[in-house]
Amino acid sequence: MAHIILASSSPRRQELLSQLGLVFDVVSPAIDETVQDAETVIDYVERLAREKAHAVLTQFPDAIVIAADTSLSFAGKILGKPESKQHAFEMWSQLSGQWHDVFSGVCVASLTRTCSTVVRTQVELQTLSYAEMEKYWATGEPMGKAGGYAIQGIAARYIPQIRGSYSNVVGLPLHETVQLLERVKA
């Protein structure tokens, strides 16, 4: 059986991958996550997933590497992780009462084959009051999360519905990851 490495330090991705019953190691690569000029969210998340996978593959050439990157898109803009309380409130104000898209780029790579895809899920965020934003910020949950929320956590109370993959919104679309893994192993 091939040695599998998850190229992510995200506890959420580790939990999701563990649900599949896979045995894997974790190596978190350091890559530049700056959005390039005129880069779409689809191109951005796929590029980062591929860069993460290949960065780890250069260290462990006999492994199969699984990498992912997740970002939100609203009104044509990429919304990443909040850099501050003010930044989180700005994002939530934009998303409040609206649908937005969550995109994850997933890449599975070995020395002989690289496969990647991008998965889109639509998420509705209820209209948030300033008091709700304050209360949610105080939980500490928003930091380090794309869009400043964790659907698998307290933020679930603010999300009436989604269209698409739940695990994608958490950070790793499992169905598609398994498909890519099978293609790379073949």
Side-chain angles (χ1 to χ4, degrees):
M1 181 150 167
H3 177 217
I4 297 173
I5 297 176
L6 174 63
S8 175
S9 61
S10 164
R12 295 161 303 282
R13 287 192 182 114
Q14 293 172 36
E15 290 169 10
L16 287 168
L17 200 54
S18 292
Q19 287 179 16
L20 300 175
L22 296 174
V23 176
F24 59 93
D25 290 320
V26 174
V27 176
S28 183
I31 64 162
D32 181 1
E33 297 190 11
T34 304
V35 179
Q36 296 176 353
D37 290 340
E39 190 171 36
T40 68
V41 66
I42 292 169
D43 293 338
Y44 174 69
V45 295
E46 187 167 22
R47 176 178 61 84
L48 291 185
R50 284 177 161 270
E51 286 181 8
K52 290 175 184 180
H54 288 123
V56 172
L57 196 56
T58 60
Q59 296 175 318
F60 302 93
D62 295 332
I64 293 177
V65 180
I66 299 170
D69 192 80
T70 302
S71 286
L72 275 69
S73 176
F74 181 74
K77 290 178 149 183
I78 297 172
L79 302 180
K81 299 170 186 171
E83 298 166 5
S84 64
K85 178 180 178 180
Q86 178 182 343
H87 186 216
F89 278 48
E90 288 169 3
M91 285 194 287
W92 297 335
S93 294
Q94 290 176 39
L95 301 174
S96 182
Q98 303 290 323
W99 283 88
H100 61 276
D101 295 316
V102 176
F103 290 93
S104 289
V106 181
C107 180
V108 179
S110 70
L111 200 54
T112 58
R113 191 161 196 191
T114 297
C115 297
S116 63
T117 192
V118 175
V119 178
R120 173 187 176 221
T121 302
Q122 295 177 299
V123 179
E124 181 185 18
L125 185 66
Q126 77 175 37
T127 301
L128 296 173
S129 68
Y130 185 81
E132 287 169 321
M133 290 184 211
E134 281 285 351
K135 185 175 181 180
Y136 185 51
W137 178 259
T139 68
E141 186 177 87
M143 290 307 292
K145 312 290 190 307
Y149 70 85
I151 193 171
Q152 74 279 12
I154 298 163
R157 69 182 292 149
Y158 305 121
I159 300 172
Q161 58 184 325
I162 70 169
R163 295 181 189 133
S165 169
Y166 173 80
S167 63
N168 180 51
V169 182
V170 178
L172 185 67
L174 293 179
H175 176 77
E176 291 79 5
T177 300
V178 169
Q179 289 179 327
L180 294 177
L181 190 56
E182 289 172 357
R183 285 174 54 196
V184 169
K185 284 182 172 181

